[in-house]
Amino acid sequence: MKAAALLLAGSMALAACASDEPTGSGSGEGGGGTATEELRVGLAYDTGGRGDQSFNDSAYGGAAAAVDALGGELQELSPNEDASNRVELLTQLAEQGFNPVIAVGFAYDDVIGEVAPQFPDTTFAQVDGSNTDGAKGDNVTGLVFAEEEGSFLAGVAAALKSESGHIGFVGGVQSPLIEKFEAGYVAGAQAVNPQITIDRQYISPAGDVSGFGDPARGQIVAQGMYDAGADIVYHAAGGSGIGVFQAAAASGNRAIGVDSDQYLTVGPELQPVVMTSMLKRVDNAVEQFINDYSEGNVQGATDVLNDLSTEGVGLATSGGFIDDIQGEIDQYRQQIVDGTITVPTTVE
């Protein structure tokens, strides 16, 4: 893919949007900036871009908060329809002097390893992309999460609240990352009720990222679970999750959101069905990384883990739907933090 790193002339049209903030303390080259240099943050989104009310929006929130606090500039780029231009996005940001450059999503796994070594003076980070072995370059930091731990608590909540003893899981794209959500959810539900029935289905197969941006398909998959008797469905499907909520509303059931507190991002008509959301604090991770960069504290060739112990994952309480079971949820949470419970990361 190195040949593709030559930026296409038309790639400027790929920007979803850009916001220029007042200049302030910020960036530099390599591991961090100095107070006399302007912070210029580049953000390359996952499929669907900003507006997904989930993963990408959370990344934007963290980057925007950091830039608001530190001063500087934030440039956002989104993939094209088939997401074939990820190399061009990262290359464009680096060539234009944005530093740090943050890639959002595991789909950048291969391309960031192609681009980052070509720009050794640019600091990169990848949300959901590990780089503990440095294979992607010495200037890449992985921002990773214990999704299975937060999903375990979502499974606990679903099993405690289910009246039918039948729940569901909708994944966006079948992949090791999304299987962590599934594995944790199943383990949590079975910890409460070993006999619980759990329907599981992915919107698209491995390698097809369209499953993160297809609400219509998400609604069909979830509706099939509700029709089969499930009364609560958890989604880890990005922008497709709105379809899961619509299916829950149409069938008089409930759903569990993901990444951000989706009770706060859906309209009033869907709020009654969003029982809770598994919070994956991409916003906090991105904001902290930019802060660390501005202070010269980024090492590279390493991962920053966000888990229950750091409050990098958890459950939202908006709406008050899980208030009555919060004590039980907290007990499971503490057992995970203490190491009494080890949450699986793969499905059986």
Side-chain angles (χ1 to χ4, degrees), residues 14 47-48 78-86 208-210:
L14 300 170
T47 301
S78 292
N80 55 14
E81 187 171 349
D82 64 0
S84 62
N85 65 329
R86 294 179 189 274
D208 178 2
V209 297
S210 66

Side-chain angles (χ1 to χ4, degrees), residues 147-318:
E147 295 92 352
E148 71 280 1
E149 293 184 358
S151 296
F152 185 100
L153 299 186
V156 167
L160 289 172
K161 283 290 189 176
S162 176
E163 297 177 359
S164 65
H166 187 166
I167 60 176
F169 171 83
V170 176
V173 177
Q174 187 153 20
S175 62
L177 174 65
I178 305 304
E179 287 177 351
K180 289 172 66 181
F181 291 84
E182 178 188 355
Y185 180 66
V186 170
Q190 291 178 341
V192 172
N193 177 7
Q195 282 74 48
I196 196 167
T197 299
I198 309 172
D199 295 333
R200 295 174 266 175
Q201 188 173 339
Y202 286 83
I203 296 173
S204 63
D208 178 2
V209 297
S210 66
F212 289 132
D214 192 344
R217 182 62 180 162
Q219 183 172 4
I220 291 171
V221 172
Q223 190 62 59
M225 295 180 180
Y226 291 125
D227 290 345
D231 57 357
I232 299 171
V233 173
Y234 171 42
H235 88 83
S240 300
I242 193 69
V244 176
F245 299 147
Q246 290 166 343
S251 59
N253 288 296
R254 290 174 292 183
I256 298 176
V258 77
D259 295 335
S260 59
D261 186 347
Q262 296 199 283
Y263 179 90
L264 302 178
T265 60
V266 300
E269 71 282 358
L270 292 179
Q271 282 184 329
V273 309
V274 184
M275 187 181 85
T276 183
S277 298
M278 197 288 279
L279 299 176
K280 179 176 175 179
R281 299 307 303 267
V282 174
D283 53 346
N284 288 353
V286 168
E287 182 177 5
Q288 185 60 53
F289 174 78
I290 296 171
N291 289 337
D292 287 344
Y293 170 83
S294 72
E295 297 169 359
N297 292 331
V298 173
Q299 300 302 315
T302 188
D303 287 350
V304 178
L305 175 63
N306 301 269
D307 59 11
L308 280 178
S309 70
T310 66
E311 298 186 355
V313 294
L315 288 187
T317 58
S318 297

